[in-house]
Amino acid sequence: MKLLLTSGGVTNPSIREALVRLLGKPIAACHALCIPTAQWGHPMCGPASVRRFIADDSASPRLTGLGWASVGVLELTALPSMGTDRWTDWVRDADVLLVDGGDATYLCHWMRESGLAELLPELTDTVWVGISAGSMVMTPRIGEDFVEWPLAPDDRTLGVVDFAIFPHLDVFPTNTLAHAERWAERVGLPAYVMDDETAIVVADDTVEVVSEGAWTSRGGPDAA
């Protein structure tokens, strides 16, 4: 898949341009499915925040409200009760999957349980746009600091990419650069630390940072 891994969504023109480049056509010509599942695993999320994410209006201008041709909802917890024949064409027909934040271990669990994780290698023309946990789920592990789901067996996630992500730099009191340094030591992987004006583009075996804000890397080729 083509990945746009963001901290806070499509928050500035540079990230929007990167999204359009990945899509290969205007946003208004693309059909999207949004995935709110990660929210159910985080204690700070719930029905109201899920509604804000799904609503295609000014309440969600950073992702679902960007002006897509259509926006549908794909709730992963429901998929095992349907059978794959019903929902896989919905995913294959989408140009982009918009994946919200919450708890990445919960999202990972339901990606595997639903069968979506198994389908990912087939979606070579699909763009995955993640916010926070929706981005972190593609990494090998997220670090214990970011596990909020009480039933998570550990901090491991899908490992589609080979680096870790520390999101929301300087957005929350516990997301400072000092916290990120300690997190990076414990997670033991090349890692990107980024604010909400930054995204990582993964396509054609290349990794590119797109930012109008602040970011750094730890343990990778771009390490400061």
Side-chain angles (χ1 to χ4, degrees), residues 77-143:
T77 62
L79 300 189
S81 66
M82 297 182 189
T84 56
D85 290 345
R86 183 165 185 211
W87 62 264
T88 51
D89 282 346
W90 301 343
V91 175
R92 291 190 179 102
D93 291 343
D95 297 294
V96 59
L97 302 179
L98 310 174
V99 190
D100 202 17
D103 187 278
T105 60
Y106 185 82
L107 176 59
C108 180
H109 171 81
W110 283 105
M111 286 181 68
R112 288 181 171 135
E113 286 291 309
S114 66
L116 179 60
E118 186 177 352
L119 186 64
L120 295 184
E122 299 179 27
L123 305 178
T124 54
D125 293 325
T126 309
V127 178
W128 177 283
V129 182
I131 284 184
S132 192
S135 299
M136 298 166 76
V137 73
M138 291 298 189
T139 69
R141 54 182 302 213
I142 62 173

Side-chain angles (χ1 to χ4, degrees), residues 28 38-39 59:
Q39 290 210 35

Side-chain angles (χ1 to χ4, degrees), residues 12-213:
N12 59 58
S14 296
I15 298 177
R16 187 183 180 101
E17 288 171 11
L19 172 58
V20 173
R21 186 169 72 247
L22 289 174
L23 292 167
K25 54 186 174 181
I27 289 173
C30 295
H31 298 274
L33 287 178
C34 68
I35 300 176
T37 305
Q39 290 210 35
W40 303 119
H42 197 288
M44 294 181 65
C45 302
S49 60
V50 169
R51 187 265 172 200
R52 286 194 297 271
F53 167 64
I54 291 173
D56 186 15
D57 57 22
S58 59
S60 53
R62 297 181 174 185
L63 215 55
T64 54
L66 289 172
W68 306 99
S70 68
V71 179
V73 179
L74 189 72
E75 175 47 62
L76 302 188
T77 62
L79 300 189
S81 66
M82 297 182 189
T84 56
D85 290 345
R86 183 165 185 211
W87 62 264
T88 51
D89 282 346
W90 301 343
V91 175
R92 291 190 179 102
D93 291 343
D95 297 294
V96 59
L97 302 179
L98 310 174
V99 190
D100 202 17
D103 187 278
T105 60
Y106 185 82
L107 176 59
C108 180
H109 171 81
W110 283 105
M111 286 181 68
R112 288 181 171 135
E113 286 291 309
S114 66
L116 179 60
E118 186 177 352
L119 186 64
L120 295 184
E122 299 179 27
L123 305 178
T124 54
D125 293 325
T126 309
V127 178
W128 177 283
V129 182
I131 284 184
S132 192
S135 299
M136 298 166 76
V137 73
M138 291 298 189
T139 69
R141 54 182 302 213
I142 62 173
E144 294 180 359
D145 298 5
F146 289 108
V147 178
E148 297 286 352
W149 182 38
L151 298 183
D154 50 46
D155 71 332
R156 288 179 293 179
T157 36
L158 294 177
V160 173
V161 299
D162 60 1
F163 54 82
I165 294 173
F166 185 101
H168 308 306
L169 178 63
D170 292 330
V171 174
F172 303 112
T174 56
N175 287 58
T176 66
L177 188 57
H179 287 99
E181 295 277 6
R182 292 191 291 271
W183 165 87
E185 288 183 10
R186 291 192 295 269
V187 80
L189 292 168
Y192 290 92
V193 178
M194 60 188 191
D195 69 2
D196 285 3
E197 298 296 325
T198 302
I200 302 170
V201 177
V202 183
D204 300 323
D205 297 322
T206 63
V207 178
E208 174 192 2
V209 177
V210 176
S211 180
E212 294 186 15

